[in-house]
Amino acid sequence: MYSQYFGLEEPPFSIAPNPRYLYLSKQHREALAHLLYGIESDGGFVLLTGEVGTGKTTVCRALLEQLPDTTDVAVILNPKYSSEELLAAICDELGISYSDTDHSIKQYVDALNRHLLESHSQGRNTVLILDEAQNLGTDVLEQIRLLTNLETDCHKLLQIILVGQPELLEHLNQPELRQLSQRITARFHLGTLNRSELEAYVSHRLAVAGVQGRLFPATTLNRLYKMTRGVPRLINILCDRALLGAFVERQNRVEVNVLKKAATEVLGGDASAIAAQPAWPSVRWLVIAGAVMLMVLMMALTDVRMITQQGFSQLQQVTGQIAGQVTTDSEPGSEVSQRFVQASLGGWRWPEPAAREVNQVLAYRSLFREWGVEYDPRKHPVVCKYARTQGYACLFGSGDLDSLIGLNRPAVLQLENQAGVSFYGTLVAIEDDSVRMLIDDQEVQVSHAELKRWWMKRYTLFWQMPPGYKGVIQPGSDSQQTQWLEQQLAAIQGRDQRQVNSLRYDATMVSQVKQFQQKRGLRADGIVGPKTAIHLNTASAQSVPLLQKTAETL
């Protein structure tokens, strides 16, 4: 309702788990690092706790997207099971068959053990994620502990992640669960956002939705922080209602009085007191529903990611600062370029804070140039919004060098040294033992080992959208997007295109897409998202910039 009034492409604070709005604060990244460490340590349990709405499921989703393709994952969302029911649910998640008549614990454990041994022999790992684990009974937790006894001489066959509210910590402190508690190899308690993180979170979601102005002034954000205590889900609920209130009153931003009225309508009574409570009953059901939807999206839309606050809001904030420094015709060797002298990465030192902001803009400008587009940040401060006007969309992701080789597109990378100082470079080519990057419009040759040492494994790349692209292409779709898909498949298969006026994404086309996805190592779900579209464009010899030439592009 208020989106058009504020110039938004869509409501930015919906509680629906839209993957485009993924935002990882510093502590969310730390939590993710703990989970990855726990899994890589090859043994025991990994524990993630936090209050309702603090982003535990968000961290788990980010984890799933960073796990290698050789990892099988079982996600249990509703663990209010008996031991037998939970074991059956785990087997169902992993596709393990078992007897319809024998429902003993031994039968499930034996079937699970056989599956894990076979998976291990094929070089695959298995991870079990138990959400809302505070609801697990003591006997069920003990049965889960026994699953960690499934092992070879050198490796645990099953990695287990327990995710839950703070009550889980109290539960694990019971004497009868001390053996389980001792097997926890990594644990992290996720707190709420602090004041600066809240502002970054709000700005990030607004930027993704396409707004360029500041809709929430500092005084309003201060009050928002007091009301929500930095709980992301409460922030979403209040901001959404506050924007609606500002629209109704025809204000061009959300003032404190509008926010207070929104809080009264949504929360009722003393908003601050309610927010301070560890569990808000009416929100709990929203969290559970949201978690279910989020996990479904994890399985269906794993190739859609989000931009960070540094990727959007800094570009807007720095535009005015660099107006006299960056022009569309600046050349290597300019005054800005000289701020990066040889020292650390590939012969470059880490830039000073002021220069890093300029450096980020230049990295995106280099990415545009790889696509043959001149980019002026003063005219177009929101990178991805401008990219869409040129027929391209942003893909924000994380992964290793192999994942970028698979996508085969130039990308902006974020790098960081031990002191936490970061800057950006544009990856333009991958060679056998090195990569070529553009940093401040100048080329740098970096070895694979050196890149892995400093790269945060976060990237942004552009991909060419199908005509009329509005979202994923899925079975049942009928539009010019489906016509485009038929063109790509026909070119790849070397056949004539089916000539029909209204082509539906039918079973024949779904089968062809799934076969293509399997050959490319993608999730074979028949849904054409950004990653599948990227591979289709490459395979059909579209004129796009590549990181390296492949047999099909020569």
Side-chain angles (χ1 to χ4, degrees):
M1 181 180 295
Y2 57 73
S3 296
Q4 186 175 2
Y5 176 77
F6 287 111
L8 297 162
E9 296 176 0
E10 58 188 340
F13 296 103
S14 170
I15 61 173
N18 188 335
R20 291 181 58 235
Y21 289 86
L22 177 63
Y23 174 78
L24 293 177
S25 68
K26 181 179 180 180
Q27 65 168 333
H28 285 85
R29 293 195 298 270
E30 290 177 356
L32 177 59
H34 277 74
L35 294 185
L36 289 170
Y37 168 78
I39 290 176
E40 293 171 357
S41 66
D42 192 38
F45 290 85
V46 183
L47 180 65
L48 175 63
T49 56
E51 293 288 0
V52 172
T54 51
K56 299 184 296 295
T57 305
T58 298
V59 172
C60 288
R61 175 167 155 227
L63 170 70
L64 291 178
E65 294 180 349
Q66 294 203 21
L67 292 176
D69 295 336
T70 55
T71 303
D72 299 319
V73 182
V75 180
I76 306 297
L77 297 175
N78 180 18
K80 290 186 176 181
Y81 294 126
S82 65
S83 296
E84 294 85 353
E85 291 170 335
L86 179 61
L87 291 171
I90 295 172
C91 289
D92 291 340
E93 281 287 307
L94 295 174
I96 302 172
S97 59
Y98 50 85
S99 171
D100 293 332
T101 56
D102 182 3
H103 298 291
S104 66
I105 289 179
K106 182 179 184 304
Q107 185 246 157
Y108 294 125
V109 172
D110 288 347
L112 180 59
N113 191 37
R114 287 193 299 270
H115 174 84
L116 294 176
L117 286 170
E118 181 179 357
S119 295
H120 178 71
S121 68
Q122 297 173 357
R124 303 191 64 83
N125 300 317
T126 305
V127 175
L128 168 63
I129 299 177
L130 292 167
D131 202 0
E132 301 293 341
Q134 74 279 354
N135 295 322
L136 293 169
T138 301
D139 57 335
V140 178
L141 283 170
E142 177 60 17
Q143 180 59 57
I144 294 172
R145 181 188 69 82
L146 294 176
L147 292 181
T148 60
N149 291 332
L150 302 177
E151 58 188 359
T152 65
D153 291 338
C154 303
H155 300 284
K156 295 288 186 182
L157 296 177
L158 183 65
Q159 302 292 322
I160 301 176
I161 299 176
L162 298 176
V163 183
Q165 296 170 24
E167 303 93 276
L168 178 60
L169 295 173
E170 300 176 7
H171 198 19
L172 294 176
N173 284 333
Q174 298 180 60
E176 55 267 35
L177 292 175
R178 64 183 181 277
Q179 293 188 65
L180 189 156
S181 185
Q182 291 170 359
R183 294 193 183 188
I184 297 175
T185 58
R187 61 178 74 204
F188 192 89
H189 183 75
L190 194 60
T192 57
L193 301 178
N194 61 34
R195 171 60 178 79
S196 62
E197 289 172 335
L198 178 143
E199 182 170 358
Y201 176 83
V202 171
S203 298
H204 162 69
R205 296 187 73 97
L206 289 172
V208 174
V211 70
Q212 300 184 32
R214 181 164 182 160
L215 299 184
F216 291 80
T219 53
T220 303
L221 291 175
N222 290 338
R223 182 58 63 93
L224 178 65
Y225 179 68
K226 291 180 180 179
M227 290 177 172
T228 64
R229 299 294 193 270
V231 177
R233 186 164 298 277
L234 291 180
I235 294 170
N236 283 3
I237 294 172
L238 280 184
C239 286
D240 181 72
R241 183 58 66 91
L243 284 173
L244 177 61
F247 160 71
V248 171
E249 297 186 12
R250 291 299 187 266
Q251 297 183 13
N252 60 6
R253 63 179 190 173
V254 178
E255 302 293 350
V256 172
N257 63 319
V258 174
L259 180 66
K260 291 171 63 177
K261 184 177 180 181
T264 301
E265 294 172 351
V266 173
L267 304 180
D270 186 349
S272 298
I274 295 174
Q277 295 176 2
W280 185 31
S282 61
V283 171
R284 184 183 298 274
W285 290 105
L286 294 175
V287 173
I288 294 173
V292 173
M293 295 174 64
L294 189 56
M295 287 301 180
V296 171
L297 281 175
M298 280 190 288
M299 304 301 293
L301 299 175
T302 56
D303 54 358
V304 181
R305 285 298 304 274
M306 303 271 304
I307 188 169
T308 65
Q309 169 64 15
Q310 290 177 324
F312 259 138
S313 62
Q314 282 189 1
L315 286 176
Q316 300 179 54
Q317 296 169 1
V318 77
T319 301
Q321 301 173 13
I322 66 172
Q325 299 174 325
V326 180
T327 62
T328 56
D329 59 352
S330 64
E331 297 292 335
S334 65
E335 180 179 352
V336 176
S337 301
Q338 297 305 318
R339 304 175 77 167
F340 302 90
V341 297
Q342 294 189 357
S344 183
L345 177 69
W348 294 78
R349 77 174 182 188
W350 308 98
E352 298 299 322
R356 288 201 302 274
E357 294 177 339
V358 178
N359 159 258
Q360 185 182 19
V361 175
L362 292 174
Y364 281 107
R365 190 177 68 173
S366 293
L367 183 60
F368 273 110
R369 282 180 174 171
E370 289 296 304
W371 288 84
V373 177
E374 284 296 328
Y375 171 60
D376 186 347
R378 295 170 297 178
K379 297 179 180 178
H380 309 286
V382 182
V383 170
C384 293
K385 189 172 184 179
Y386 178 63
R388 293 183 75 89
T389 67
Q390 305 300 306
Y392 311 122
C394 290
L395 176 63
F396 307 96
S398 61
D400 56 16
L401 194 57
D402 288 339
S403 66
L404 279 179
I405 291 175
L407 294 173
N408 204 11
R409 295 292 186 274
V412 171
L413 308 185
Q414 180 183 356
L415 302 103
E416 184 174 290
N417 65 7
Q418 296 104 321
V421 179
S422 63
F423 74 100
Y424 297 81
T426 308
L427 180 67
V428 296
I430 297 178
E431 300 170 357
D432 291 340
D433 56 1
S434 65
V435 302
R436 286 191 290 114
M437 300 184 67
L438 294 173
I439 303 176
D440 191 23
D441 288 338
Q442 298 190 33
E443 186 172 299
V444 179
Q445 197 88 7
V446 182
S447 69
H448 288 187
E450 193 174 9
L451 179 65
K452 292 177 181 178
R453 181 182 180 188
W454 302 115
W455 182 28
M456 298 294 292
K457 294 188 176 181
R458 300 180 68 86
Y459 60 82
T460 304
L461 56 83
F462 295 156
W463 62 281
Q464 192 171 40
M465 295 186 297
Y469 185 77
K470 297 180 180 178
V472 296
I473 308 173
Q474 51 192 342
S477 299
D478 55 349
S479 66
Q480 62 183 133
Q481 298 180 74
T482 313
Q483 293 283 357
W484 169 86
L485 180 56
E486 168 63 15
Q487 293 174 1
Q488 306 300 298
L489 292 172
I492 294 169
Q493 297 167 5
R495 60 172 174 80
D496 293 333
Q497 180 183 344
R498 289 188 288 173
Q499 299 295 329
V500 291
N501 293 328
S502 180
L503 180 64
R504 291 187 63 83
Y505 190 6
D506 55 16
T508 299
M509 191 176 295
V510 170
S511 177
Q512 294 174 359
V513 170
K514 287 184 176 180
Q515 291 177 11
F516 176 81
Q517 290 173 324
Q518 286 177 338
K519 291 180 180 178
R520 295 309 176 104
L522 302 169
R523 183 182 298 280
D525 54 11
I527 297 174
V528 180
K531 287 187 178 179
T532 300
I534 288 172
H535 282 273
L536 285 169
N537 281 333
T538 302
S540 60
Q542 294 292 308
S543 179
V544 294
L546 303 174
L547 289 175
Q548 57 181 197
K549 297 293 184 180
T550 61
E552 65 193 4
T553 60
L554 294 176

